[in-house]
Structures are given as C-alpha cells and as structure tokens.
Amino acid sequence: MSLREKVKNHLNKNPFKGYFRRNRLRPPGAVMEEKFMELCIRCARCIEVCPYESVKRADLFDRLQIGTPYVYADERACYLCMLCPSVCPTGALDPNLKEPEKVRMGIAYIEQDKCLNYLYVKDENAGGTQGFAMICSTCYNTCPYTDEAIKMEQFLLPVITDKCTGCGICVEKCPTDPKSISIIPAGMGNEDLAGLYYQRSRKNFKKAGDAEGYSGDDAIKKKMSIDASGSKPEFKFDYETTDKIDGWTE
Amino acid sequence: MAGQSKIKRYRRLVQAAVFMMMFIIPALNILEIYFIKGTFYSIDVGNAVAADPIAVFQAAMSSKSVNIYMALSVVIPILLMLFAGRVWCSWMCPYHFIVEGVSFVKRKLGMKKSFPVHTPEKKRRTETARLIILVCFIALAGVAGIPLLNLISAPGIISSQALVLVKFHYVTFELVFIIALIIAEFVFFPFFWCRLFCPTGTFLSLFKSERGMHLKRVSSSCSMCGSCKRACPMGLDPVTDGSSLLCHNCGDCIDVCPDNKKQETLRFISGRQHNFPS
C-alpha cells in the first residue's frame, strides 16, 4: 500500500474511534474497539466492581476515550475474575462471556533484546558467561495459564502461544525496565481497524528457535555493571536491624 | 391535605440521601456488597436495572443495534417519567442539588434577589431552544458516532467522579467541566444548564405526560398573589404552566402558596381531573 493510499485510508476512518497503545487494554469481554466506542456509555460500572482496581477510568490524555474503562497492564493487570462483563448495561463488554480462558484482550509479545532469559541464552551460545547468569522466568511463573499460553522452549525461552488471554499479569510482574514483555491490544494487530496504530503483534509469536542475532547492548552493559565484589548494598527497613546474631560468626 | 406542606423538607431529604448514596455505593462495593451498584449513568438495585435513557439511546443510535439489556434498562426511568413527571431533576439529580446550593449562596451574597419570571413568549422560546439544542447535541453525537453527550451529562459525571474518588482517591479531568459549570452558574441566569442545555433532563422531559403527576391549580381560592411565580426555580408561572416540559415537580410553589393554608389551591395531581376554569 502506498503512502498516499495509507493517508487516504486513515482519513476515511472515524478519528474518534480506534486509538491503540501498547499495554493499554479494554476490560475482558470487550467487543472490537470501534463497536466498543459506540456502545460504551462511560457508566463506570466495570470500574466499580473490579476487586483488583485494575480497570481504570481513562483521563484527558486518552482524548475522546476519556471516561471509558481501561486496564493499564504495566500498572495493574487484569486477574480475569470476570465480574465486569456481567455488569455492563449496553453489552460493550460481552455479558455472555463467563470463561476466563476465552478472554482475548490482546496478545503478549516478548522483546527478545531485553528479556533476561533470551539474553542469557544468547550469551551462553556466544561462549561467555561472565556476569550474565541471570535467569528470570517471571512471566512463565505468573501466567494464569502456564504451559498453555506461555511455554518454555529449551526450558529457558518463554514463547507465547495463541492461548494467551492478554491479561497482562506477566507485564505487571516483569522485572526489567523497560518491560521486556508487553501486550498488543486486540485490534491493534488489525490494519483495517487500527489505522496508524497498526502494529504487527505476531512479530516473534511462536518463533524462538534461533538464539542468534539478538541485540540489546544497553541491557548487557547494564547487567555487566552488576558486581558482587563491590560494597555491601544498603537496604532500608522500617524496623530495627542488627548486624550480628548471637552465636553466629560471619 | 390542607395546611402548610413540607414538600421541600422531603425533597431535601431525598436529595441529600441520593447525594450520599453516590459515595456510599462505591464504598459498599469495595466491601464486596454488590446489592446496589452503578452510577447515575446506569444503576442496578438487586435485579432491577435502570439507565440514563439518553445514554442508552445514543449507544443504540451509534451502534445501530438494540440488545435486551439496553431495552430493559430504560423501562424504569421512562415509567417514572410517565407517572411522576420530571422528578429526576428536582428530587434526585446531584447537579441540581449543587446548583440549588449555588443559588442559595447567590441570594445570601445579594447577587440575585429572586428568580426571574419570564413572559409567555420567553418561556416558549426557552422550550423550543432546549429542544433544538438537544437535537443539535444528538446530531453531533451521531456524526461523531460515539455517545458524546455522556461527556457533558452532569449527574453522570458527578457520580462517576465520586466513584473514582472513593475507589482510587483521585479525580479525572471530567470534573473540570462540572467546576466550570458551577462557576458559570454564578455568572449566568440561575439553572441555565438545567433549563437549556442538560441533555439528560431535556430527553427525560420528552416523556412527561399530561396524565402523569403534574402541578395544577385545583380551586378558585387562588388570590393571584404571585408568590409561586417568584419561588419557581425554572421561572415558570405554576398557575398556568403546571404541565410544561420545563416544570420538574419540585413543589416549591406548593410550599410557598399562602392560599394552601386555608384551602387546597395548588397541588400535584395525576390524570386529567379537576379541570378548573381559570
């Protein structure tokens, strides 16, 4: 598609609908974004019933989406309790959806140049292990559908499968900064719907075999700076700590 | 029921209760008591559902579909409208409650001695204007293809902001709109938003029927003193405009009517009874 066609295509779309951003998801059971914007009356009932305070009310920076419900996966993910679809008065969240495994809020994808496990494998394949012995696997461990939605290849490399519900728990828990796993919202991978926000969500979907060619020198440098032989780290406690324990010698 | 009526006291009680409910409902929901849940866009009490008809209407219009949830949720508000008139505005709406506070402050400050009483032409113009504004608003929402009017629905915004405040301890930008309205309320004529612009109130008043509860002068003992005119927050003449779409059955005129002490003169009636010749 030429640039001119792309621009024309974008102008033909309703600018009030379809605004996507990574890790910003509609609550579970949401119909497609365009339909959602038509149906959602901003009544905030999904926000009210959410026991995890995951669903939040969009603010001014979300433009005309202001007032609509969002799950910001990097702040607080959706824990798939399935309360919000049952209270939606207009059917913007499908009220017939009861099974959490059928939720498709989006799909997770791992940025392999940031993920600690991928960096570890890359380092190991390159032959060096100095300072790289950091294996995380948090996404695998926190996923509510471990071994279904996320699988470990070579026992080390997390791979997303198409059973991913897009709940974002892995994103919330991911220890790297910036997050090395993120959720592409449903609809963002659909060029017709997302327009300018179109993003190929299946970039490394179910493709983890070749451990060669990862980049991410910054992340490696950061990890190289971690040194066990330096000074003792200081921790802050809100209670008194003692340096010595009776009967023990260091 | 002759004698001094206390409608205003009951009304204040209901208004205060509804205002408190906005904060109590989210608190109950945090405690996982889900018997009553929702905001003034849409609320559930047990199994009974109610939703703002204009919100549902816009959702149905922009998505070009109606589902059973939407259809059921407008039944209660519309029935209330048909039977009791526009009582939502005067007895429940939190924004109206706030604005009544504003006009009280204005009177205390001496900014306005009394509500203006409008001439019949002006009242007619007001009625036409608010309907035209509603149609324009709906057309705007239709062009945008999203329920745009919910962004300016004062009671919905106030209650959802109360929810966000109770649950997350912050407020979102929508509150700025309400603050702007309250400031404007000090500058413009009283109840300008309720009277002319409010999409919720205007849409609800379309369902006001002649047979529902409305104001009527029922006896000849009226001394034409005009105290009801001065008390009316909407600038109507209660003696003649009882069934006007602008009248929201607040009952202030019944409270101030001096003739009501001797013989029942001005009261709420339902149905087409007591057609007293004026």
Side-chain angles (χ1 to χ4, degrees), chain B residues 6-259:
Chain B
K6 294 193 179 64
I7 293 176
K8 195 162 190 165
R9 189 177 296 174
Y10 292 127
R11 191 159 70 88
R12 286 282 179 267
L13 210 66
V14 173
Q15 279 180 318
V18 170
F19 202 82
M20 290 306 293
M21 281 310 275
M22 291 192 323
F23 295 93
I24 292 171
I25 293 170
L28 286 179
N29 278 284
I30 290 171
L31 300 173
E32 299 193 356
I33 300 166
Y34 291 128
F35 173 70
I36 172 165
K37 51 183 186 285
T39 60
F40 292 142
Y41 287 123
S42 154
I43 197 160
D44 270 15
V45 182
N47 286 326
V49 289
D52 186 352
I54 182 93
V56 172
F57 174 71
Q58 288 178 83
M61 187 179 70
S62 51
S63 73
K64 295 167 205 75
S65 66
V66 180
N67 60 38
I68 186 82
Y69 312 98
M70 288 150 91
L72 282 178
S73 59
V74 295
V75 168
I76 290 175
I78 288 177
L79 279 183
L80 183 75
M81 234 28 233
L82 288 175
F83 283 115
R86 205 177 141 197
V87 287
W88 155 258
C89 295
S90 57
W91 288 68
M92 295 168 218
C93 176
Y95 181 71
H96 194 271
F97 191 42
I98 291 171
V99 174
E100 278 183 302
V102 169
S103 51
F104 176 77
V105 171
K106 271 174 93 170
R107 248 174 302 157
K108 283 280 162 197
L109 293 175
M111 288 168 78
K112 203 102 193 176
K113 285 190 189 73
S114 63
F115 297 109
V117 182
H118 295 306
T119 55
E121 305 96 84
K122 197 162 183 193
K123 275 179 279 190
R124 248 198 317 280
R125 272 219 307 278
T126 309
E127 293 226 358
T128 332
R130 66 201 287 266
L131 289 179
I132 290 172
I133 289 170
L134 178 72
V135 170
C136 292
F137 276 171
I138 288 177
L140 206 64
V143 169
I146 60 173
L148 211 57
L149 297 190
N150 292 353
L151 294 176
I152 55 166
S153 164
I157 292 177
I158 293 176
S159 67
S160 56
Q161 290 304 308
L163 185 152
V164 172
L165 183 67
V166 169
K167 192 153 184 186
F168 298 113
H169 312 297
Y170 60 74
V171 290
T172 61
F173 186 78
E174 288 152 282
L175 198 65
V176 172
F177 177 70
I178 299 295
I179 293 168
L181 276 191
I182 289 171
I183 292 168
E185 207 71 54
F186 276 101
V187 179
F188 297 128
F189 56 91
F191 298 93
F192 84 98
W193 182 260
C194 305
R195 203 203 302 249
L196 274 177
F197 297 101
C198 178
T200 307
T202 315
F203 195 75
L204 276 175
S205 68
L206 296 180
F207 296 98
K208 184 171 177 168
S209 82
E210 279 282 299
R211 295 187 175 274
M213 188 168 91
H214 63 277
L215 206 65
K216 193 91 183 166
R217 188 175 60 160
V218 291
S219 129
S220 59
S221 62
C222 174
S223 57
M224 293 291 185
C225 66
S227 46
C228 50
K229 270 189 206 173
R230 284 193 294 278
C232 181
M234 287 286 144
L236 298 173
D237 181 0
V239 174
T240 52
D241 300 332
S243 49
S244 150
L245 289 189
L246 264 176
C247 172
H248 54 21
N249 289 0
C250 65
D252 281 2
C253 46
I254 301 179
D255 277 354
V256 297
C257 180
D259 303 322

Side-chain angles (χ1 to χ4, degrees), chain A residues 14 37 44 70 91 98 200 231:
Chain A
N14 190 332
M37 280 302 288
Y70 269 112
K98 300 274 190 280
R200 233 187 295 261
S231 59

Side-chain angles (χ1 to χ4, degrees), chain A residues 14 43 45 47-48 50 57 59, chain B residues 38-39 42 144 167 173-174:
Chain A
N14 190 332
C43 67
R45 293 179 55 178
I47 301 169
E48 186 173 32
C50 182
R57 200 168 168 84
D59 211 337
Chain B
T39 60
S42 154
K167 192 153 184 186
F173 186 78
E174 288 152 282

Side-chain angles (χ1 to χ4, degrees), chain A residues 19 21 23 34 43 64 73 93 115 125 133 135 137 139 190 211 213:
Chain A
Y19 164 44
R21 217 169 65 195
N23 288 338
E34 201 164 329
C43 67
L64 274 172
L93 306 177
C115 176
N125 287 359
I135 298 172
S137 308
C139 48
N190 181 347

